[in-house]
Amino acid sequence: MTPEARVEVAPLGTTLPVRPPVSMAMPMGDMIPYVTDTPDITIPANLLPADGRFGSGPSKVRPEAVAALAGAASRYLGTSHRQQTVKSVVGSLRSGLRDLFSLPGDYEVMLGNGGTTCFWDAATFGLIETKSQHLSFGEFSSKFAKAAADAPHLSDPDIVTSEAGTHPDAVARDDVDLYALTHNETSTGVMMPVTRPAGAAPPDQGGGLVAVDATSGAGGLRVDPSQFDVYYFAPQKCFGSDGGLWVALLSPAAQERIARIGASGRWVPAFLDLAIALDNSKLDQTYNTPALATLFLFDDQVRWMNEQGGMAFSTGRCDRSAELLYSWAEASSFATPFVTRPADRSRVVGTIDFDPSIDATVVAKVLRANGIVDTEPYRKLGRNQLRIAMFPTIDPEDVAALCGCINHVVGALG
Ligand SMILES: *Cc1c(COP(=O)(O)O)cnc(C)c1O
């Protein structure tokens, strides 16, 4: 019997019967697929991580940050974002990011609503002058490339691709005015160094800007501000907050580009206008109403990172988690790191392939049933693997515990 055939439509006015507990609903020989494909395996409590959130975004939010938000709620939530209470959080966030990334004094911290996906559209209007080059090596990096290709006011972009599980390198070209890099390709678990393309002129001598999608890398991977002009991200990954906001760290050359395009007469929807966003950011506000809880959690996380030792602390935690995860997989008889080159293996999002004899989907479901969530792989990659976030918030001890839990589940699946 298919699951659909079981659906009964209750006549109006009747109360739907409560479904009996799974154990009662599942007599042998009358298996229901959506119940039976999660084997009943209980992971011993002493193996479980303290926190079971390993999703690559939205990702674990520190309970201390949530408690701080609850404590501040009656003075902060539901108050005007044009008044000092909220503006001081935005101001603290902007200066905290400046410290965390050791930004030179002439760099700016810009923010706006809509998340990274919105920033791609804004960039096609306000950062790309005529032609961009995109390193396309997974779902996220390909999306910005598509946004640029679809923009009628731009020339066709130059798209450099490589196999899933690897990254291409930028190629200096005279006709390219923006190089689009991705610090960490979240769909495949590949990281790449942020460096200006070999042989490219610096932007103040006519070379292209370097714009980096660091949505999942920012705060967890090391970066040198002299190597980028735009480093943009959203707070729901390493910054343990919620989605819906974008942030961009801007070099002087990027600020000039925004001003020049802003004055050029190009039509730009106001919501996507980076000149407007930059003006508002300098006043510690956003063009339209932001999510106040998101801003608070984001600021709390940046403060936490800075207090604990800044980028050395946050990247160090990711390094340790990655060392634990990949060394476990390399020693395992059934798991292997998906990314072949160790230098390309992301320290913030790990992808682990499973032997064909083990169905990783089932492993993820058993983990989920035991409170360990969001280890499923990126769907479109279509591999028999788990994807595990190792953002700074995630305790390396919990990554080690997760490896132990996977061993237990695979053993129990026999
Ligand atoms: C999550 C992610 C995005 C999308 O971010 P949104 O804020 O949901 O638009 C883009 N790029 C990368 C690398 C990501 O990891």
Side-chain angles (χ1 to χ4, degrees):
M1 189 188 285
T2 63
E4 291 78 33
R6 287 185 164 268
V7 174
E8 288 163 9
V9 179
L12 285 175
T14 61
T15 310
L16 286 172
V18 175
R19 185 147 23 111
V22 167
S23 54
M24 288 167 61
M26 210 178 70
M28 298 303 282
D30 183 23
M31 299 278 200
I32 307 164
Y34 64 82
V35 173
T36 54
D37 58 10
T38 306
D40 187 9
I41 297 169
T42 303
I43 300 173
N46 65 322
L47 293 183
L48 292 173
D51 195 299
R53 290 173 289 179
F54 293 97
S56 299
S59 64
K60 179 181 167 189
V61 179
R62 283 169 35 258
E64 296 83 356
V66 178
L69 174 61
S74 61
R75 282 162 285 125
Y76 173 76
L77 293 179
T79 70
S80 168
H81 65 294
R82 306 281 179 217
Q83 296 299 327
Q84 206 45 45
T85 315
V86 175
K87 286 175 73 158
S88 71
V89 171
V90 177
S92 160
L93 172 63
R94 292 179 69 234
S95 75
L97 288 170
R98 189 174 273 289
D99 290 347
L100 184 68
F101 287 96
S102 306
L103 293 184
D106 51 2
Y107 277 49
E108 272 295 344
V109 179
M110 172 171 69
L111 74 167
N113 286 313
T116 295
T117 304
C118 180
F119 188 78
W120 288 327
D121 287 334
T124 63
F125 280 107
L127 280 172
I128 304 172
E129 200 130 29
T130 320
K131 188 184 179 77
S132 48
Q133 178 180 96
H134 299 260
L135 305 190
S136 177
F137 54 110
E139 181 67 13
F140 292 107
S141 45
S142 71
K143 279 190 172 162
F144 185 24
K146 181 170 187 316
D150 289 348
H153 58 281
L154 301 176
S155 303
D156 284 343
D158 181 26
I159 300 177
V160 190
T161 59
S162 73
E163 296 265 297
T166 67
H167 70 79
D169 290 309
V171 185
R173 282 179 56 151
D174 288 343
D175 59 348
V176 163
D177 60 71
L178 181 141
Y179 297 93
L181 277 53
T182 300
H183 205 173
N184 184 72
E185 183 37 88
T186 321
S187 63
T188 60
V190 169
M191 65 176 188
M192 65 172 293
V194 172
T195 50
R196 294 190 181 276
D204 58 1
Q205 290 165 36
L209 300 177
V210 171
V212 185
D213 177 356
T215 307
S216 58
L221 301 179
R222 288 166 190 79
V223 68
D224 171 359
S226 72
Q227 297 298 311
F228 65 72
D229 297 295
V230 187
Y231 191 75
Y232 60 93
F233 46 93
Q236 72 274 23
K237 312 221 173 160
C238 290
F239 291 103
S241 178
D242 245 329
L245 204 69
W246 57 257
V247 169
L249 314 179
L250 302 175
S251 73
Q255 296 164 51
E256 274 164 34
R257 176 74 62 88
I258 289 169
R260 189 166 67 237
I261 294 180
S264 71
R266 176 187 283 178
W267 174 73
V268 180
F271 184 63
L272 301 176
D273 191 329
L274 294 177
I276 294 178
L278 185 52
D279 285 347
N280 276 280
S281 301
K282 287 178 180 170
L283 299 171
D284 291 334
Q285 55 186 14
T286 48
Y287 174 56
N288 66 317
T289 316
L292 302 195
T294 304
L295 283 171
F296 187 98
L297 296 171
F298 190 178
D299 179 49
D300 189 278
Q301 176 80 348
V302 173
R303 282 166 183 267
W304 175 71
M305 287 174 167
N306 281 331
E307 281 162 16
Q308 298 290 317
M311 204 58 117
F313 161 77
S314 62
T315 58
R317 258 167 83 99
C318 300
D319 291 350
R320 178 69 187 134
S321 291
E323 187 186 357
L324 289 163
L325 180 75
Y326 297 125
S327 57
W328 161 77
E330 289 200 306
S332 164
S333 58
F334 59 84
T336 334
F338 164 56
V339 177
T340 320
R341 273 190 67 207
D344 296 345
R345 285 178 194 156
S346 169
R347 304 200 179 161
V348 281
V349 175
T351 43
I352 303 295
D353 276 350
F354 278 61
D355 184 271
S357 65
I358 296 153
D359 185 347
T361 318
V362 174
V363 177
K365 282 183 179 165
V366 173
L367 292 172
R368 183 174 288 282
N370 283 272
I372 299 172
V373 301
D374 301 340
T375 60
E376 290 82 3
Y378 197 79
R379 198 172 32 85
K380 286 193 203 157
L381 191 59
R383 293 190 69 91
N384 186 37
Q385 70 173 211
L386 296 184
R387 183 175 62 150
I388 293 149
M390 302 176 287
F391 297 140
T393 314
I394 293 168
D395 193 331
E397 298 276 318
D398 279 352
V399 173
L402 170 63
C403 297
C405 290
I406 297 172
N407 287 345
H408 178 87
V409 171
V410 170
L413 286 170

